[in-house]
Amino acid sequence: MNIPKKLLYTSEHEWIRVDGEKGNIGITDYAQHHLGDIVFVELPEVGEEAAMGESIGVIESVKAVATLFSPAGGKVIEVNEELEEAPELLNEDPYGNWIAIIELTDHSDLEKLMSAEAYTEFCKNLE
Amino acid sequence: MIEITNSSHDPCFNLALEEYAVKNWPGSQSYFILWQNQPAVIIGRNQNTIEEINQAYLEEKGIQVVRRMSGGGAVYHDLGNLNFTVVVDENNDFANFEKFTRPVITALKRIGIKAENNGRNDITIKGRKFSGNAQFKFRDRLLHHGTILFDSRLEDMAEALNPSTEKISSKGIKSVRSRVTNISEHLSIPVSVEEFKQILAEEVLRAEDSNHSYQLTDSDLHAVNDLRDNKYSAWAWNYGKSPAYNVRKTHPYPWGNIDIRLDIKRGLISGCRIYGDYFAGGDIEELEKTLIGEVYQEEDIKKCLEQLDLEKYLPHTNKKEFTDLLCR
C-alpha cells in the first residue's frame, strides 16, 4: 500500500496536498484498491463551497458507488476534467491524479487530519 | 438484524427510504427491507436518463423513471419483481457480493432451483440473469440491494428499456444487455411471490441473531416523504443529474434538411447549433442563443418558443413541429 509522506489523510480515504492557501484532493491507494475498476467520477462544481467532511461528489466503480467528502472546508477552484474522459486514472495513479483543488477557508481543519504514519496505522487496523 | 416492514409500491418512496436508512439509522445495527414497485424504470446513479429509456412508451403507460443512489445500469421494476435491501456497517463487506446474494441462492434451493453468482454483480439460473446487485457506501455504512425477477412482464421490460435510436453521446454509464429469466419459469411446484418473500426473509435472517421487525414511525415517514418529494420525484434528480451529453436531431422535411446539435449539462442546454440546407429567414444564431440556458425538457422548450417569432428563423416550420424535433 502506497501512502506518500507529505500528504494528509481522512478516515474516508481521501488525501489532501496543501500548498499555501490551496489544497489538491484525491482518493488514496487503499480507496482505489477497494473500489476496484473506477468507471465514473462525478466532479464537484467550480465555485462550490463545502465544509470539512461534506459530500462533494461520487465515485462509481464496477462494484459500488462511494461518496467523496471534502477533507477540509473550502471552495472548489479547479476540477480535474481529465477524469470525466478517463476515470481509470484514479486506479492507475491515485496520488498523481487529483480530483479537485480547493481554497482552504480554515487551516485548523488540517489539524484534524491524519499524517501518513497515522493513516498507515489506521489502514492496518482495517485489515 | 432489523426487518423493516414496507408495503409501499411507490418507487420514489422506496428509493427515498433506502437513502434515509443508510444515512440516518444508527451504525452497528443491520437492516433488511423487502419491497416491490409498481411499474418503473430505475436508472443507475451516473446514467444519462434519456439514453436509457423509451420515453414515448413510458409516457403512454404512465411509467415513472427514478434514479437510484447505486451504480450500474437501468432496470425495469413491476410487481413481479422483488427487491431486497440490506444496510450494514461497512467493515470488510465492501464489494463482497456473495455474502449478500447467498440467502437468495439458498432460498431458491429450497424451492428446487439451482442459481449461481455469475462473477459480476448478477445471479443467474442456467446462465440467464434474474437478479442484479449494486452497492452504495456512505461513511462507515454500506447499502447492498438487488432485484429478483419472479414473474415480471419481460416484454414490457424490453419495450421500456429500448431507447429510440437517437444520436446521443455521453460519458454516462451504459446499461449492459443481459439475457434475463423469471424464477417462475423454473418452478416445478407452484410458489407465489408472497410465499417466496417469506422464504427469502427467513434465509436472510437465518444467519443473524436477535432479529426483530420494525414499523416506520411518523417521524421516519415524514423524513422519507420529504426526500421522496424533494429528490426522488424531482426532475432535477431523475433527469438533471445526468452526466453531460450531446444530442443530435436531424429530420428531412419537405422544405429542407435540418440538423441540430445540442450540448446538455446538468439538464440545461449549454450549447446549440442549427444547420440546414433550407433557406433561413433570419439570423439563426439568435435562435440558438435563445435556446441556450433553457431546461432541456418539452414543457420548458415550449414556453421558450412561445415568446418567439419562430417563422422569422425557420419560415416553413411551426412551434409544435420544432418542439417535437428538439424534444422527442
Side-chain angles (χ1 to χ4, degrees), chain B residues 249-280:
Chain B
K249 299 284 192 173
T250 54
H251 197 80
Y253 291 105
W255 44 268
N257 297 311
I258 188 161
D259 180 346
I260 304 173
R261 318 280 172 93
L262 299 173
D263 304 325
I264 314 292
K265 250 187 194 162
R266 299 196 182 239
L268 306 181
I269 299 177
S270 66
C272 173
R273 299 307 305 269
I274 302 172
Y275 305 98
D277 56 8
Y278 54 88
F279 182 70

mmCIF file of all heavy atoms in Angstrom, chain B residues 249-280:
data_model
loop_
_atom_site.group_PDB
_atom_site.id
_atom_site.type_symbol
_atom_site.label_atom_id
_atom_site.label_comp_id
_atom_site.label_asym_id
_atom_site.label_seq_id
_atom_site.Cartn_x
_atom_site.Cartn_y
_atom_site.Cartn_z
ATOM 1 N N LYS B 249 -30.149 15.999 -33.499
ATOM 2 C CA LYS B 249 -31.505 15.795 -34.008
ATOM 3 C C LYS B 249 -31.528 16.194 -35.475
ATOM 4 O O LYS B 249 -31.229 17.345 -35.795
ATOM 5 C CB LYS B 249 -32.478 16.690 -33.240
ATOM 6 C CG LYS B 249 -32.534 16.398 -31.741
ATOM 7 C CD LYS B 249 -33.321 15.161 -31.488
ATOM 8 C CE LYS B 249 -33.629 15.016 -30.002
ATOM 9 N NZ LYS B 249 -34.536 13.909 -29.759
ATOM 10 N N THR B 250 -31.879 15.235 -36.308
ATOM 11 C CA THR B 250 -31.949 15.563 -37.731
ATOM 12 C C THR B 250 -33.290 15.123 -38.280
ATOM 13 O O THR B 250 -33.895 14.163 -37.778
ATOM 14 C CB THR B 250 -30.851 14.823 -38.528
ATOM 15 O OG1 THR B 250 -30.968 13.429 -38.243
ATOM 16 C CG2 THR B 250 -29.469 15.296 -38.135
ATOM 17 N N HIS B 251 -33.754 15.829 -39.282
ATOM 18 C CA HIS B 251 -35.000 15.406 -39.932
ATOM 19 C C HIS B 251 -35.083 15.959 -41.348
ATOM 20 O O HIS B 251 -34.847 17.139 -41.561
ATOM 21 C CB HIS B 251 -36.217 15.854 -39.129
ATOM 22 C CG HIS B 251 -37.455 15.128 -39.522
ATOM 23 N ND1 HIS B 251 -37.749 13.863 -39.069
ATOM 24 C CD2 HIS B 251 -38.456 15.463 -40.359
ATOM 25 C CE1 HIS B 251 -38.889 13.462 -39.598
ATOM 26 N NE2 HIS B 251 -39.332 14.410 -40.389
ATOM 27 N N PRO B 252 -35.431 15.105 -42.318
ATOM 28 C CA PRO B 252 -35.640 15.622 -43.665
ATOM 29 C C PRO B 252 -37.089 16.081 -43.829
ATOM 30 O O PRO B 252 -37.983 15.254 -43.893
ATOM 31 C CB PRO B 252 -35.338 14.399 -44.551
ATOM 32 C CG PRO B 252 -35.615 13.206 -43.683
ATOM 33 C CD PRO B 252 -35.588 13.634 -42.249
ATOM 34 N N TYR B 253 -37.279 17.393 -43.818
ATOM 35 C CA TYR B 253 -38.621 17.931 -44.058
ATOM 36 C C TYR B 253 -38.770 18.203 -45.553
ATOM 37 O O TYR B 253 -37.758 18.328 -46.250
ATOM 38 C CB TYR B 253 -38.805 19.227 -43.269
ATOM 39 C CG TYR B 253 -38.863 19.000 -41.774
ATOM 40 C CD1 TYR B 253 -37.769 19.315 -40.963
ATOM 41 C CD2 TYR B 253 -40.000 18.464 -41.175
ATOM 42 C CE1 TYR B 253 -37.812 19.103 -39.589
ATOM 43 C CE2 TYR B 253 -40.044 18.243 -39.803
ATOM 44 C CZ TYR B 253 -38.950 18.569 -39.016
ATOM 45 O OH TYR B 253 -39.003 18.351 -37.669
ATOM 46 N N PRO B 254 -40.015 18.329 -46.001
ATOM 47 C CA PRO B 254 -40.203 18.637 -47.442
ATOM 48 C C PRO B 254 -39.489 19.943 -47.816
ATOM 49 O O PRO B 254 -39.036 20.106 -48.943
ATOM 50 C CB PRO B 254 -41.713 18.797 -47.577
ATOM 51 C CG PRO B 254 -42.325 18.151 -46.389
ATOM 52 C CD PRO B 254 -41.301 18.164 -45.305
ATOM 53 N N TRP B 255 -39.382 20.854 -46.857
ATOM 54 C CA TRP B 255 -38.762 22.162 -47.132
ATOM 55 C C TRP B 255 -37.247 22.165 -46.933
ATOM 56 O O TRP B 255 -36.578 23.160 -47.164
ATOM 57 C CB TRP B 255 -39.401 23.258 -46.290
ATOM 58 C CG TRP B 255 -39.615 22.872 -44.836
ATOM 59 C CD1 TRP B 255 -40.735 22.304 -44.295
ATOM 60 C CD2 TRP B 255 -38.684 22.996 -43.757
ATOM 61 N NE1 TRP B 255 -40.567 22.076 -42.950
ATOM 62 C CE2 TRP B 255 -39.324 22.498 -42.591
ATOM 63 C CE3 TRP B 255 -37.379 23.488 -43.648
ATOM 64 C CZ2 TRP B 255 -38.693 22.470 -41.349
ATOM 65 C CZ3 TRP B 255 -36.752 23.473 -42.401
ATOM 66 C CH2 TRP B 255 -37.411 22.956 -41.271
ATOM 67 N N GLY B 256 -36.694 21.044 -46.494
ATOM 68 C CA GLY B 256 -35.234 21.003 -46.335
ATOM 69 C C GLY B 256 -34.810 20.105 -45.196
ATOM 70 O O GLY B 256 -35.632 19.653 -44.402
ATOM 71 N N ASN B 257 -33.525 19.829 -45.139
ATOM 72 C CA ASN B 257 -32.993 19.005 -44.053
ATOM 73 C C ASN B 257 -32.527 19.899 -42.925
ATOM 74 O O ASN B 257 -31.916 20.929 -43.152
ATOM 75 C CB ASN B 257 -31.807 18.186 -44.551
ATOM 76 C CG ASN B 257 -32.215 17.217 -45.630
ATOM 77 O OD1 ASN B 257 -33.184 16.480 -45.473
ATOM 78 N ND2 ASN B 257 -31.508 17.241 -46.744
ATOM 79 N N ILE B 258 -32.812 19.467 -41.709
ATOM 80 C CA ILE B 258 -32.371 20.249 -40.567
ATOM 81 C C ILE B 258 -31.539 19.345 -39.663
ATOM 82 O O ILE B 258 -31.800 18.146 -39.544
ATOM 83 C CB ILE B 258 -33.581 20.899 -39.854
ATOM 84 C CG1 ILE B 258 -33.119 21.886 -38.783
ATOM 85 C CG2 ILE B 258 -34.514 19.877 -39.270
ATOM 86 C CD1 ILE B 258 -34.210 22.864 -38.380
ATOM 87 N N ASP B 259 -30.534 19.922 -39.070
ATOM 88 C CA ASP B 259 -29.570 19.169 -38.263
ATOM 89 C C ASP B 259 -29.226 20.022 -37.051
ATOM 90 O O ASP B 259 -28.623 21.080 -37.176
ATOM 91 C CB ASP B 259 -28.324 18.900 -39.132
ATOM 92 C CG ASP B 259 -27.252 18.114 -38.390
ATOM 93 O OD1 ASP B 259 -27.331 18.006 -37.148
ATOM 94 O OD2 ASP B 259 -26.329 17.617 -39.057
ATOM 95 N N ILE B 260 -29.654 19.552 -35.877
ATOM 96 C CA ILE B 260 -29.456 20.336 -34.656
ATOM 97 C C ILE B 260 -28.514 19.594 -33.713
ATOM 98 O O ILE B 260 -28.659 18.391 -33.500
ATOM 99 C CB ILE B 260 -30.803 20.595 -33.942
ATOM 100 C CG1 ILE B 260 -31.771 21.278 -34.904
ATOM 101 C CG2 ILE B 260 -30.619 21.435 -32.685
ATOM 102 C CD1 ILE B 260 -33.171 21.427 -34.369
ATOM 103 N N ARG B 261 -27.540 20.303 -33.167
ATOM 104 C CA ARG B 261 -26.617 19.711 -32.179
ATOM 105 C C ARG B 261 -26.809 20.441 -30.853
ATOM 106 O O ARG B 261 -26.674 21.660 -30.800
ATOM 107 C CB ARG B 261 -25.162 19.882 -32.612
ATOM 108 C CG ARG B 261 -24.896 19.644 -34.095
ATOM 109 C CD ARG B 261 -24.812 18.174 -34.427
ATOM 110 N NE ARG B 261 -24.748 17.978 -35.864
ATOM 111 C CZ ARG B 261 -23.608 17.875 -36.552
ATOM 112 N NH1 ARG B 261 -22.446 17.945 -35.937
ATOM 113 N NH2 ARG B 261 -23.633 17.679 -37.859
ATOM 114 N N LEU B 262 -27.116 19.667 -29.828
ATOM 115 C CA LEU B 262 -27.304 20.259 -28.502
ATOM 116 C C LEU B 262 -26.279 19.700 -27.531
ATOM 117 O O LEU B 262 -25.981 18.506 -27.544
ATOM 118 C CB LEU B 262 -28.703 19.936 -27.961
ATOM 119 C CG LEU B 262 -29.920 20.429 -28.750
ATOM 120 C CD1 LEU B 262 -31.192 19.855 -28.142
ATOM 121 C CD2 LEU B 262 -29.976 21.948 -28.757
ATOM 122 N N ASP B 263 -25.726 20.559 -26.688
ATOM 123 C CA ASP B 263 -24.912 20.107 -25.554
ATOM 124 C C ASP B 263 -25.771 20.300 -24.313
ATOM 125 O O ASP B 263 -26.282 21.395 -24.091
ATOM 126 C CB ASP B 263 -23.651 20.961 -25.395
ATOM 127 C CG ASP B 263 -22.822 20.975 -26.667
ATOM 128 O OD1 ASP B 263 -22.785 19.938 -27.343
ATOM 129 O OD2 ASP B 263 -22.236 22.026 -26.975
ATOM 130 N N ILE B 264 -25.895 19.250 -23.514
ATOM 131 C CA ILE B 264 -26.720 19.333 -22.312
ATOM 132 C C ILE B 264 -25.823 19.120 -21.095
ATOM 133 O O ILE B 264 -25.117 18.113 -20.996
ATOM 134 C CB ILE B 264 -27.843 18.271 -22.301
ATOM 135 C CG1 ILE B 264 -28.557 18.202 -23.656
ATOM 136 C CG2 ILE B 264 -28.824 18.533 -21.152
ATOM 137 C CD1 ILE B 264 -29.367 19.398 -24.033
ATOM 138 N N LYS B 265 -25.875 20.094 -20.183
ATOM 139 C CA LYS B 265 -25.091 19.991 -18.949
ATOM 140 C C LYS B 265 -26.015 20.235 -17.781
ATOM 141 O O LYS B 265 -26.711 21.240 -17.745
ATOM 142 C CB LYS B 265 -23.989 21.061 -18.958
ATOM 143 C CG LYS B 265 -22.610 20.469 -19.128
ATOM 144 C CD LYS B 265 -21.531 21.491 -18.962
ATOM 145 C CE LYS B 265 -20.224 20.899 -19.484
ATOM 146 N NZ LYS B 265 -19.233 21.908 -19.747
ATOM 147 N N ARG B 266 -26.016 19.321 -16.836
ATOM 148 C CA ARG B 266 -26.905 19.414 -15.669
ATOM 149 C C ARG B 266 -28.346 19.693 -16.077
ATOM 150 O O ARG B 266 -29.037 20.481 -15.456
ATOM 151 C CB ARG B 266 -26.403 20.477 -14.693
ATOM 152 C CG ARG B 266 -25.024 20.079 -14.229
ATOM 153 C CD ARG B 266 -24.507 20.766 -13.022
ATOM 154 N NE ARG B 266 -23.158 20.265 -12.794
ATOM 155 C CZ ARG B 266 -22.742 19.654 -11.701
ATOM 156 N NH1 ARG B 266 -23.549 19.473 -10.701
ATOM 157 N NH2 ARG B 266 -21.509 19.214 -11.598
ATOM 158 N N GLY B 267 -28.753 19.085 -17.188
ATOM 159 C CA GLY B 267 -30.136 19.207 -17.627
ATOM 160 C C GLY B 267 -30.446 20.460 -18.435
ATOM 161 O O GLY B 267 -31.543 20.618 -18.942
ATOM 162 N N LEU B 268 -29.475 21.373 -18.551
ATOM 163 C CA LEU B 268 -29.705 22.612 -19.289
ATOM 164 C C LEU B 268 -29.006 22.567 -20.640
ATOM 165 O O LEU B 268 -27.946 21.960 -20.780
ATOM 166 C CB LEU B 268 -29.166 23.817 -18.513
ATOM 167 C CG LEU B 268 -29.626 24.020 -17.072
ATOM 168 C CD1 LEU B 268 -28.982 25.282 -16.487
ATOM 169 C CD2 LEU B 268 -31.138 24.143 -17.006
ATOM 170 N N ILE B 269 -29.596 23.269 -21.619
ATOM 171 C CA ILE B 269 -28.932 23.385 -22.918
ATOM 172 C C ILE B 269 -27.762 24.349 -22.748
ATOM 173 O O ILE B 269 -27.945 25.518 -22.416
ATOM 174 C CB ILE B 269 -29.916 23.909 -23.992
ATOM 175 C CG1 ILE B 269 -31.088 22.926 -24.144
ATOM 176 C CG2 ILE B 269 -29.201 24.129 -25.324
ATOM 177 C CD1 ILE B 269 -32.156 23.375 -25.127
ATOM 178 N N SER B 270 -26.540 23.845 -22.938
ATOM 179 C CA SER B 270 -25.375 24.715 -22.753
ATOM 180 C C SER B 270 -24.742 25.074 -24.089
ATOM 181 O O SER B 270 -23.920 25.976 -24.176
ATOM 182 C CB SER B 270 -24.350 24.050 -21.840
ATOM 183 O OG SER B 270 -23.830 22.904 -22.474
ATOM 184 N N GLY B 271 -25.132 24.362 -25.126
ATOM 185 C CA GLY B 271 -24.636 24.682 -26.464
ATOM 186 C C GLY B 271 -25.685 24.294 -27.484
ATOM 187 O O GLY B 271 -26.412 23.313 -27.277
ATOM 188 N N CYS B 272 -25.779 25.041 -28.571
ATOM 189 C CA CYS B 272 -26.791 24.746 -29.585
ATOM 190 C C CYS B 272 -26.319 25.245 -30.945
ATOM 191 O O CYS B 272 -25.927 26.400 -31.080
ATOM 192 C CB CYS B 272 -28.106 25.428 -29.192
ATOM 193 S SG CYS B 272 -29.380 25.301 -30.472
ATOM 194 N N ARG B 273 -26.302 24.358 -31.933
ATOM 195 C CA ARG B 273 -26.017 24.759 -33.321
ATOM 196 C C ARG B 273 -27.115 24.189 -34.204
ATOM 197 O O ARG B 273 -27.523 23.046 -34.032
ATOM 198 C CB ARG B 273 -24.660 24.215 -33.797
ATOM 199 C CG ARG B 273 -23.444 24.684 -33.022
ATOM 200 C CD ARG B 273 -23.339 26.189 -32.889
ATOM 201 N NE ARG B 273 -23.371 26.917 -34.157
ATOM 202 C CZ ARG B 273 -22.273 27.236 -34.849
ATOM 203 N NH1 ARG B 273 -21.085 26.898 -34.428
ATOM 204 N NH2 ARG B 273 -22.388 27.903 -35.984
ATOM 205 N N ILE B 274 -27.589 25.014 -35.116
ATOM 206 C CA ILE B 274 -28.632 24.567 -36.046
ATOM 207 C C ILE B 274 -28.101 24.705 -37.477
ATOM 208 O O ILE B 274 -27.698 25.794 -37.879
ATOM 209 C CB ILE B 274 -29.917 25.397 -35.869
ATOM 210 C CG1 ILE B 274 -30.407 25.289 -34.408
ATOM 211 C CG2 ILE B 274 -31.004 24.924 -36.834
ATOM 212 C CD1 ILE B 274 -31.553 26.221 -34.067
ATOM 213 N N TYR B 275 -28.041 23.575 -38.164
ATOM 214 C CA TYR B 275 -27.579 23.588 -39.548
ATOM 215 C C TYR B 275 -28.722 23.167 -40.457
ATOM 216 O O TYR B 275 -29.649 22.485 -40.026
ATOM 217 C CB TYR B 275 -26.421 22.599 -39.753
ATOM 218 C CG TYR B 275 -25.256 22.792 -38.825
ATOM 219 C CD1 TYR B 275 -25.120 22.007 -37.678
ATOM 220 C CD2 TYR B 275 -24.283 23.756 -39.088
ATOM 221 C CE1 TYR B 275 -24.051 22.175 -36.828
ATOM 222 C CE2 TYR B 275 -23.199 23.934 -38.241
ATOM 223 C CZ TYR B 275 -23.081 23.133 -37.103
ATOM 224 O OH TYR B 275 -22.019 23.300 -36.263
ATOM 225 N N GLY B 276 -28.646 23.541 -41.706
ATOM 226 C CA GLY B 276 -29.681 23.084 -42.626
ATOM 227 C C GLY B 276 -29.412 23.563 -44.029
ATOM 228 O O GLY B 276 -28.639 24.501 -44.237
ATOM 229 N N ASP B 277 -30.078 22.908 -44.971
ATOM 230 C CA ASP B 277 -29.927 23.336 -46.360
ATOM 231 C C ASP B 277 -31.174 24.122 -46.787
ATOM 232 O O ASP B 277 -31.407 24.362 -47.942
ATOM 233 C CB ASP B 277 -29.678 22.150 -47.289
ATOM 234 C CG ASP B 277 -30.771 21.091 -47.190
ATOM 235 O OD1 ASP B 277 -31.792 21.351 -46.508
ATOM 236 O OD2 ASP B 277 -30.610 20.017 -47.781
ATOM 237 N N TYR B 278 -31.981 24.487 -45.806
ATOM 238 C CA TYR B 278 -33.181 25.287 -46.050
ATOM 239 C C TYR B 278 -32.751 26.746 -46.239
ATOM 240 O O TYR B 278 -31.642 27.130 -45.922
ATOM 241 C CB TYR B 278 -34.126 25.174 -44.849
ATOM 242 C CG TYR B 278 -33.422 25.542 -43.566
ATOM 243 C CD1 TYR B 278 -33.389 26.865 -43.139
ATOM 244 C CD2 TYR B 278 -32.745 24.562 -42.821
ATOM 245 C CE1 TYR B 278 -32.705 27.204 -41.990
ATOM 246 C CE2 TYR B 278 -32.059 24.914 -41.683
ATOM 247 C CZ TYR B 278 -32.039 26.238 -41.267
ATOM 248 O OH TYR B 278 -31.349 26.582 -40.158
ATOM 249 N N PHE B 279 -33.696 27.548 -46.740
ATOM 250 C CA PHE B 279 -33.421 28.972 -46.872
ATOM 251 C C PHE B 279 -33.774 29.654 -45.551
ATOM 252 O O PHE B 279 -34.929 29.768 -45.189
ATOM 253 C CB PHE B 279 -34.224 29.560 -48.034
ATOM 254 C CG PHE B 279 -33.944 31.007 -48.241
ATOM 255 C CD1 PHE B 279 -32.716 31.434 -48.734
ATOM 256 C CD2 PHE B 279 -34.908 31.961 -47.913
ATOM 257 C CE1 PHE B 279 -32.452 32.781 -48.911
ATOM 258 C CE2 PHE B 279 -34.636 33.303 -48.093
ATOM 259 C CZ PHE B 279 -33.414 33.724 -48.588
ATOM 260 N N ALA B 280 -32.774 30.083 -44.818
ATOM 261 C CA ALA B 280 -33.005 30.650 -43.498
ATOM 262 C C ALA B 280 -33.599 32.043 -43.608
ATOM 263 O O ALA B 280 -33.174 32.839 -44.436
ATOM 264 C CB ALA B 280 -31.709 30.699 -42.712
#
